Amino acid sequence: PATWNSSRLNPKNRIDSLDLPRKQKWRIDGYGLAGCQVFASPIFLGHNNLPLRVDVFLPDQNEVSRSLRYDLQWSKAADAIDSNFSELAISRYLLRALQSWSDKEPDFEEYYTGLPFGSKIVIEEITLATQDARISVTPGFDLERQFLSVRSLQTLWSLPEGAWPPTIQLPQVRPVRQIHESISLVQIPHLHSTQIFAMKTQTTDPKHLYHELKALLTMPPHVNIIPPPLYIVTKKAAFGGKQGVCSFILEYYSHGTLRDILISRTLIGTLELNDQQSWARQIVSGLIHINEKAGSYYSDLKPDNILLVPSSSASGELKPIVIDFEQRGNGAPWSHASILYIQYLKDISLSSKVTPDTRTRYDTLLQAHIAKYITAEDAPHLKKGARYANPAHGYNLSWLSLSPRERESAQVFNLGLFLWCLFEGIPYPHRDLWVESAFYHFIPYEFPEMRRSPENIRNLIRMCMQGSKVLDGPRRHLGLVRRGSLVVPKGREEDDDISDDDVVEAAREYWKEEIGRLDDLWMARENGRGTAFDEGGITCGTPTLKEVLAMLEE
């Protein structure tokens, strides 16, 4: 039995206070990495604050007592939606701890504004007294060392002079709010007074940022593709003084994403078939443009990556705009199985959790695959830790491994899932671990069940998914879903007697099946049985993007 000394009723075992400071000096805009990364801003710096992307990182929850995690509502952080994070106790704790920390730091303003871009504020220890929380800073020197100057990028890309937007320096930009891990809302007072813009950044590795920047600068114009950046932003390195490209500025569209529109209009019954059909046609037209006019591909199609903006017509209609050209690829729920299997191959070959023999076996398969399917031009860019060197087709091994026809089939498969979301009015195709359970309320049923789509659209979706087997029965899940702040086996969401072993076993069974499929399908491809895998693989039986557009226009 608990003693008074260890009881949570004892004041010494409780957090001293979670009341917000009377004069609040920090603000929390949101979170990333399932609640482990927090977007916090020192608002007391006023106009001297810079969009340095200095985020706060929390310790592993296992390092904190269960009772303290409960008091801080920490488990709910992984499942909060947008601004809901700021309502949690962990958010109030951070605001108090950060204020105590910055108050103790002499000349904090000079110290903070002098930090390298992408530095990290690390909460090393959560204590009962917020003023005693142990906080350190990890400077982002390595990130800034990887920044390239505008001149270096111009030399690499050899673009016409008129293709380059103007350059501004980071101190000329004022932060407004952080709305995403890679998107900040900012102002440029000396040029545009109080107008709001979107600033795209990356705080881990700039190569994906540079790849997207080049894609946007070289993309032929299309009404349904985001226009090129308005400005390139540089920052003087804290070590060495180099002016490196750290971000770029885009127009800000305040209407939100298609995900948000699907949720809101479905709830109030204003999602119209005419709009759905129009948006579908315009988006597919944009995909065709990316493939044919830009000679590229789009690997990230989902409602989150479609913005809706007012059209130029007087009707007030919204038009879709495709965003996000980093080409990192979609998450597992959106990806064709063959895309995932190539990633599995890479992950196993690099894993320290498997036996050396297993690692060697899969690494041998991976290297043979790279030698056979990856061009000599692309191969150097795919090595771990490779710096940006102007890759022709990006860094996504899975997509680079596909032939042009396979790549289009993979996009059509992704498009089929997207069309299901669009015409069913549901933001995600599945209630998966990758989706916060707060969104489950907006997913009353899952793909491939169809209730709202017209019959001709249902047939089109089936054609897009042809050969993938996902329409033949229940989709294979990770085996786990969210239930509030818990993870439970799929199909047992209502059970109360779920043990930790049940959760582990469900995940183990899923991965045993997945790796079995990986072995079978990989051998089929390597043995020369064509590009159409027997089960779950990419098939050239799907329609082309142009054929999909023609069917949508009928």
Side-chain angles (χ1 to χ4, degrees):
T3 64
W4 175 248
N5 193 49
S6 61
S7 172
R8 293 178 64 242
L9 298 177
N10 189 331
K12 78 177 185 65
N13 296 325
R14 298 202 301 264
I15 299 170
D16 59 352
S17 174
L18 290 175
D19 294 336
L20 293 178
R22 187 172 301 169
K23 186 177 180 182
Q24 193 172 317
K25 294 185 176 181
W26 288 75
R27 185 189 68 228
I28 289 179
D29 292 331
Y31 73 100
L33 295 178
C36 298
Q37 176 184 9
V38 180
F39 311 140
S41 177
I43 53 178
F44 68 95
L45 297 186
H47 292 301
N48 294 324
N49 195 11
L50 302 177
L52 287 167
R53 288 307 321 280
V54 178
D55 296 334
V56 176
F57 289 81
L58 299 177
D60 190 322
Q61 291 191 35
N62 291 326
E63 299 175 3
V64 179
S65 69
R66 183 186 295 266
S67 60
L68 187 52
R69 294 201 306 266
Y70 177 84
D71 290 341
L72 291 174
Q73 301 175 294
W74 203 339
S75 59
K76 294 182 179 180
D79 204 47
I81 297 179
D82 302 330
S83 60
N84 292 347
F85 181 87
S86 62
E87 300 173 4
L88 300 178
I90 182 65
S91 178
R92 298 195 299 274
Y93 180 97
L94 289 175
L95 289 173
R96 289 177 58 87
L98 289 170
Q99 184 148 331
S100 295
W101 170 67
S102 58
D103 284 345
K104 296 173 190 173
E105 189 74 33
D107 301 319
F108 180 81
E109 179 179 321
E110 181 179 354
Y111 169 71
Y112 183 88
T113 56
L115 286 172
F117 192 89
S119 297
K120 299 178 180 180
I121 298 174
V122 181
I123 310 296
E124 297 192 17
E125 184 181 5
I126 300 284
T127 57
L128 292 172
T130 53
Q131 68 270 18
D132 295 333
R134 192 152 55 89
I135 300 176
S136 66
V137 173
T138 302
F141 290 119
D142 185 61
L143 177 65
E144 288 197 345
R145 276 194 289 267
Q146 297 180 64
F147 286 162
L148 297 178
S149 66
V150 171
R151 177 171 295 181
S152 296
L153 293 176
Q154 288 173 331
T155 301
L156 281 172
W157 297 344
S158 300
L159 302 183
E161 184 81 19
W164 286 89
T167 298
I168 59 176
Q169 296 183 13
L170 191 68
Q172 297 173 305
V173 183
R174 293 287 172 267
V176 175
R177 188 161 61 93
Q178 187 73 26
I179 61 173
H180 184 268
E181 293 175 20
S182 61
I183 299 293
S184 307
L185 299 186
V186 299
Q187 295 174 332
I188 313 173
H190 74 291
L191 294 175
H192 299 280
S193 185
T194 59
Q195 184 177 348
I196 304 295
F197 297 91
M199 186 175 86
K200 180 70 182 278
T201 60
Q202 281 296 337
T203 57
T204 54
D205 188 333
K207 64 187 179 186
H208 298 288
L209 180 80
Y210 294 160
H211 181 66
E212 180 175 26
L213 176 58
K214 181 188 177 184
L216 294 177
L217 293 180
T218 56
M219 180 76 65
H222 189 280
V223 68
N224 299 114
I225 295 175
I226 191 166
L230 302 171
Y231 299 97
I232 292 175
V233 183
T234 64
K235 179 187 180 297
K236 186 177 181 180
F239 184 81
K242 174 182 65 177
Q243 286 283 357
V245 175
C246 64
S247 60
F248 53 82
I249 302 291
L250 298 163
E251 185 174 347
Y252 172 55
Y253 302 101
S254 60
H255 281 72
T257 67
L258 179 59
R259 183 198 71 179
D260 305 325
I261 297 294
L262 288 178
I263 290 174
S264 61
R265 291 197 178 185
T266 299
L267 283 176
I268 61 177
T270 58
L271 187 60
E272 300 291 340
L273 180 59
N274 285 341
D275 289 332
Q276 293 166 302
Q277 292 173 328
S278 174
W279 296 341
R281 289 192 297 268
Q282 292 179 72
I283 290 166
V284 176
S285 173
L287 296 179
I288 294 171
H289 182 85
I290 293 167
N291 281 260
E292 295 190 353
K293 301 299 183 182
S296 187
Y297 62 92
Y298 190 69
S299 59
D300 303 82
L301 183 62
K302 54 186 176 182
D304 307 60
N305 283 339
I306 302 295
L307 296 178
L308 288 173
V309 305
S311 64
S312 56
S313 66
S315 64
E317 295 178 347
L318 298 177
K319 69 174 182 180
I321 288 184
V322 181
I323 63 171
D324 193 350
F325 287 84
E326 293 183 1
Q327 291 185 323
R328 292 191 187 217
N330 255 338
W334 298 97
S335 299
H336 195 286
S338 301
I339 296 292
L340 299 179
Y341 291 151
I342 296 171
Q343 185 61 46
Y344 296 165
L345 194 67
K346 179 181 179 182
D347 291 344
I348 296 172
S349 70
L350 297 174
S351 176
S352 61
K353 306 296 184 182
V354 299
T355 65
D357 288 345
T358 299
R359 192 162 54 247
T360 298
R361 175 180 172 236
Y362 283 94
D363 185 59
T364 300
L365 288 174
L366 177 65
Q367 297 308 319
H369 173 76
I370 289 176
K372 187 174 182 179
Y373 292 99
I374 303 297
T375 66
E377 181 184 17
D378 288 326
H381 305 297
L382 299 176
K383 293 181 180 179
K384 188 175 182 180
R387 300 293 177 93
Y388 181 78
N390 192 26
H393 307 293
Y395 297 93
N396 195 310
L397 172 65
S398 298
W399 283 84
L400 292 176
S401 301
L402 305 177
S403 69
R405 184 65 187 95
E406 288 179 308
R407 197 172 292 150
E408 184 171 23
S409 290
Q411 292 174 86
V412 171
F413 173 91
N414 190 179
L415 177 60
L417 285 172
F418 176 85
L419 292 175
W420 182 90
C421 291
L422 175 59
F423 285 94
E424 294 297 320
I426 297 176
Y428 298 102
H430 306 287
R431 292 187 291 269
D432 265 321
L433 271 187
W434 295 273
V435 178
E436 293 90 342
S437 64
F439 282 111
Y440 285 10
H441 174 70
F442 307 114
I443 313 174
Y445 53 93
E446 299 178 272
F447 179 86
E449 183 178 354
M450 294 186 235
R451 301 180 186 177
R452 300 168 179 157
S453 300
E455 188 58 37
N456 60 339
I457 295 297
R458 298 185 189 196
N459 292 332
L460 175 57
I461 292 171
R462 293 187 186 104
M463 292 177 67
C464 290
M465 317 301 286
Q466 183 175 326
S468 65
K469 301 292 184 180
V470 296
L471 294 169
D472 297 344
R475 176 184 179 269
R476 291 177 297 111
H477 287 268
L478 177 58
L480 304 173
V481 293
R482 301 191 191 202
R483 186 177 69 191
S485 59
L486 300 177
V487 174
V488 299
K490 179 74 173 179
R492 297 184 60 186
E493 291 89 336
E494 304 302 322
D495 291 1
D496 293 326
D497 59 343
I498 298 173
S499 67
D500 292 349
D501 290 340
D502 292 334
V503 175
V504 173
E505 184 60 26
R508 181 183 291 116
E509 285 301 312
Y510 169 84
W511 284 113
K512 283 171 62 178
E513 182 181 350
E514 281 290 270
I515 299 307
R517 288 172 181 264
L518 165 64
D519 290 340
D520 293 343
L521 298 178
W522 202 261
M523 290 303 100
R525 181 168 189 163
E526 296 304 308
N527 290 337
R529 282 193 268 160
T531 57
F533 292 159
D534 291 343
E535 181 183 6
I538 291 178
T539 172
C540 291
T542 57
T544 64
L545 289 169
K546 281 188 172 180
E547 289 169 342
V548 172
L549 180 59
M551 286 182 273
L552 285 169
E553 290 176 337
E554 290 179 358

